[in-house]
């Protein structure tokens, strides 16, 4: 699947770097990537899986092998020609990462970076989303924003309305009603990220960082509603993930937050259900979104986000 990235100005392309490599002679180098899986997967299951991956020939651009010393963790050892440019190294490794993610166990971290920030996994999201008709793409986006709404409402000092939002899915065209309601909720966050000169109220740095990301979600949501294309819809959900990831980073030790992993499971489950069952999955995905939003809501209350 190919996309015109140049027309998607709102997409944030992440820059990833190849790790330190060792020269092993004959113009060859070796480098290792530490991979963490999204779920707890045993070392035996991981090694069985990678052993079944397509066997690489000696002519392959990059040869890889694996070690697993503990559950949910793989070391991927890559060997390649020293002359191979770094972008091609990333590209070759990405083929293996995506195979692991789709056929063995979903990945969480590649190195210290979430899988979703790598361009190959941005493509993966768009590949999964592209077969859906426009109304189901918007439904998928709306599900993600229902899960995010309790965090938006807390930062805006409002009472969360995620249950009412989930009920909107039962109406024809309900996904648009959800998206418009969320856009309105985001507009109430502006004072959090504002500056005194702009009439905003200074806030604690943590809340301001979250508010800034949520305002980006709002901009991307507006873009999605006007463009109705795969890139804008996918980019908006990527920023939803980033918001949850930042929340976990800031409040994880305090409340044991795992909202980014919750979202990473949810968007994948939703898009696969919608691809498999079409309109027949609408009710089930709406119920799942409400259940996830309940967790987000209780986590925000536990973190006392509004009171900070």
């Amino acid at each position: 699947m190919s996309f015109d990235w140049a027309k998607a100005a709102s997409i944030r392309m992440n820059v990833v770097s190849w790790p330190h490599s060792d020269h092993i002679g004959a113009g060859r180098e070796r480098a290792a990537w530490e991979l963490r899986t999204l779920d707890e997967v045993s070392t035996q299951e991981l090694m069985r899986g990678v052993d079944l991956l397509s066997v690489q020939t000696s002519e392959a651009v990059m040869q890889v092998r694996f070690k697993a010393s503990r559950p949910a963790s793989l070391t991927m050892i890559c060997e390649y020609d020293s002359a191979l440019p770094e972008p091609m190294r990333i590209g070759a490794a990405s083929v293996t990462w995506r195979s692991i993610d789709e056929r063995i166990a979903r990945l969480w971290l590649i190195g210290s970076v979430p899988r979703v920030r790598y361009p190959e996994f941005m493509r993966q999201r768009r590949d999964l989303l592209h077969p859906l008709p426009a109304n189901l793409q918007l439904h998928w986006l709306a599900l993600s924003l229902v899960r995010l709404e309790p965090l938006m409402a807390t930062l805006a000092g409002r009472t969360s309305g995620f249950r009412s939002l989930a009920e909107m899915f039962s109406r024809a065209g309900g996904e648009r009603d959800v998206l418009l309601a969320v856009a309105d909720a985001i507009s109430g966050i502006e004072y959090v990220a504002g500056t005194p000169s702009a009439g905003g109220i200074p806030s604690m740095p943590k809340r301001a960082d979250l508010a800034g990301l949520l305002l980006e979600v709002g901009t991307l949501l507006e873009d999605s509603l006007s463009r109705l294309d795969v890139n804008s819809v996918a980019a908006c959900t990527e920023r939803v993930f980033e918001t949850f990831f930042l929340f976990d980073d800031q409040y994880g030790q305090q409340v044991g937050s795992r909202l980014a992993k919750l979202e990473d499971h949810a968007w994948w489950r939703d898009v696969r259900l919608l691809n498999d069952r079409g309109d027949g999955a609408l009710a089930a995905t709406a119920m799942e979104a409400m259940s996830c939003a309940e967790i987000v809501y209780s986590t925000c209350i536990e973190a006392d986000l509004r009171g900070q």
Side-chain angles (χ1 to χ4, degrees), residues 106-152:
R106 294 195 62 218
L107 297 179
W108 172 239
L109 300 178
I110 299 175
S112 60
V113 178
R115 174 202 76 251
V116 299
R117 294 182 184 169
Y118 285 80
E120 182 61 32
F121 292 98
M122 296 173 71
R123 283 187 284 270
Q124 178 196 53
R125 186 180 299 242
R126 287 154 180 79
D127 288 346
L128 289 168
L129 184 59
H130 190 267
L132 295 177
N135 68 306
L136 293 185
Q137 290 180 13
L138 291 182
H139 178 84
W140 177 76
L141 171 58
L143 294 168
S144 190
L145 293 172
V146 166
R147 294 189 288 269
L148 186 63
E149 190 275 344
L151 179 53
M152 298 177 190

Side-chain angles (χ1 to χ4, degrees), residues 155 203-211 246 249-251 254 305 308:
L155 277 174
S203 61
M204 297 295 289
K206 284 184 179 181
R207 295 181 69 220
D209 289 344
L210 284 170
L246 178 61
D249 182 60
Q250 293 179 338
Y251 297 96
Q254 176 184 338
L305 192 62
Q308 292 189 30

Side-chain angles (χ1 to χ4, degrees), residues 7-308:
K7 293 183 178 179
S10 58
I11 290 178
R12 177 185 295 172
M13 295 298 292
N14 298 291
V15 177
V16 292
S17 299
W18 192 254
H20 170 77
S21 58
D22 296 315
H23 292 277
I24 56 176
R28 302 278 289 175
E29 294 183 20
R30 178 187 296 133
W33 287 90
E34 297 299 326
L35 311 178
R36 292 284 298 177
T37 59
L38 185 58
D39 296 315
E40 194 77 0
V41 182
S42 71
T43 56
Q44 293 85 353
E45 186 176 349
L46 288 173
M47 290 307 297
R48 279 197 302 269
V50 295
D51 286 343
L52 292 174
L53 285 179
S54 298
V55 177
Q56 298 177 336
T57 68
S58 58
E59 290 81 23
V61 170
M62 178 177 293
Q63 283 75 48
V64 299
R65 55 188 173 87
F66 297 90
K67 294 192 297 186
S69 57
R70 61 185 186 277
S73 182
L74 269 175
T75 299
M76 185 173 101
I77 301 166
C78 310
E79 294 187 5
Y80 47 89
D81 287 342
S82 299
L84 189 67
E86 184 166 321
M88 291 186 66
R89 298 178 190 182
I90 293 286
S94 294
V95 173
T96 302
W97 296 335
R98 185 161 170 175
S99 293
I100 294 170
D101 186 77
E102 294 177 347
R103 297 166 55 187
I104 300 172
R106 294 195 62 218
L107 297 179
W108 172 239
L109 300 178
I110 299 175
S112 60
V113 178
R115 174 202 76 251
V116 299
R117 294 182 184 169
Y118 285 80
E120 182 61 32
F121 292 98
M122 296 173 71
R123 283 187 284 270
Q124 178 196 53
R125 186 180 299 242
R126 287 154 180 79
D127 288 346
L128 289 168
L129 184 59
H130 190 267
L132 295 177
N135 68 306
L136 293 185
Q137 290 180 13
L138 291 182
H139 178 84
W140 177 76
L141 171 58
L143 294 168
S144 190
L145 293 172
V146 166
R147 294 189 288 269
L148 186 63
E149 190 275 344
L151 179 53
M152 298 177 190
T154 303
L155 277 174
R158 296 182 178 182
T159 301
S160 178
F162 69 88
R163 295 180 184 87
S164 298
L165 290 178
E167 291 172 0
M168 291 181 185
F169 286 121
S170 63
R171 305 197 294 262
E175 65 278 350
R176 284 186 173 273
D177 295 334
V178 171
L179 296 174
L180 291 172
V182 169
D184 181 64
I186 292 175
S187 68
I189 297 171
E190 292 182 2
Y191 81 95
V192 178
T195 61
S197 60
I201 300 173
S203 61
M204 297 295 289
K206 284 184 179 181
R207 295 181 69 220
D209 289 344
L210 284 170
L213 270 178
L214 288 172
L215 291 177
E216 287 187 35
V217 171
T219 299
L220 291 166
L221 173 54
E222 182 179 346
D223 191 45
S224 299
L225 287 169
S226 64
R227 293 165 57 89
L228 298 177
D229 72 342
V230 168
N231 283 327
S232 57
V233 170
C236 191
T237 62
E238 286 164 346
R239 204 70 83 253
V240 170
F241 171 86
E242 291 292 351
T243 305
F244 282 133
F245 191 82
L246 178 61
F247 180 91
D248 290 344
D249 182 60
Q250 293 179 338
Y251 297 96
Q253 289 188 341
Q254 176 184 338
V255 298
S257 173
R258 294 164 56 90
L259 299 186
K261 285 190 172 183
L262 180 73
E263 177 62 22
D264 210 4
H265 278 294
W267 77 261
W268 176 271
R269 178 194 62 235
D270 289 345
V271 76
R272 290 172 69 89
L273 274 174
L274 290 168
N275 271 306
D276 289 343
R277 295 165 49 189
D279 290 342
L282 296 181
T285 54
M287 289 298 294
E288 285 286 349
M290 187 164 66
S291 297
C292 292
E294 291 271 10
I295 297 172
V296 176
Y297 177 74
S298 61
T299 303
C300 289
I301 295 299
E302 187 177 357
D304 191 23
L305 192 62
R306 186 178 300 174
Q308 292 189 30

